[in-house]
Amino acid sequence: MGRIKEAIGSAGIETLTTSARAKDALSFGIKACVGDKYDNPLVEIEDKSGIRVVVKYLRDVKKVVKLMEELFITRPPENKVEMLPYDKNGYLGTHLIAKIERCRLDHNRYKICGSTL
């Protein structure tokens, strides 16, 4: 998460909070087993971990999305404000599904390439 905070700070974006979490095993198990939604939950459930960046100014949302697209391979952003009423989603904001397989020549631990989203 340090790389993300560093990129946001370097871009001059003011945040209120930046946090990360991993989905706990019980939550994952419940999500995987409810209904017949998933054939392969380990692959299909995409929110096994997450990062939340709360920006001070609405104008900075697009800047953070652009930074995340530079750091990660992402799907197109989903604007949850437009998609769902807040009481159905739990938060208002822009949601990105991202993978870490973006090659980074300056960080050896991220030299994983060739994956598609």
Side-chain angles (χ1 to χ4, degrees):
M1 187 146 104
R3 176 111 167 108
I4 293 168
K5 286 184 176 183
E6 178 184 314
I8 290 170
S10 294
I13 299 169
E14 293 184 58
T15 63
L16 296 174
T17 63
T18 303
S19 58
R21 62 106 182 131
K23 184 177 284 294
D24 66 72
L26 178 61
S27 177
F28 180 85
I30 291 169
K31 187 171 185 173
C33 294
V34 173
D36 294 326
K37 188 173 179 179
Y38 303 106
D39 292 326
N40 187 347
L42 284 174
V43 173
E44 296 172 47
I45 295 176
E46 298 174 310
D47 65 339
K48 294 183 270 300
S49 64
I51 297 169
R52 177 173 293 166
V53 179
V54 180
V55 294
K56 194 169 183 179
Y57 303 106
L58 188 57
R59 67 178 182 252
D60 289 335
V61 172
K62 287 182 182 179
K63 293 176 187 175
V64 171
V65 168
K66 185 174 185 283
L67 285 171
M68 295 302 104
E69 290 171 336
E70 291 171 3
L71 292 171
F72 301 97
I73 296 170
T74 67
R75 287 192 184 161
E78 299 174 346
N79 186 330
K80 295 296 186 177
V81 174
E82 295 171 357
M83 294 176 66
L84 298 169
Y86 75 92
D87 62 333
K88 299 296 182 197
N89 185 46
Y91 64 92
L92 298 176
T94 301
H95 184 216
L96 287 170
I97 300 292
K99 288 188 173 185
I100 200 161
E101 281 86 2
R102 168 112 25 230
C103 288
R104 293 198 230 299
L105 299 176
D106 60 336
H107 289 80
N108 290 331
R109 62 186 170 153
Y110 295 124
K111 285 189 177 180
I112 304 169
C113 300
S115 177
T116 58
L117 192 59

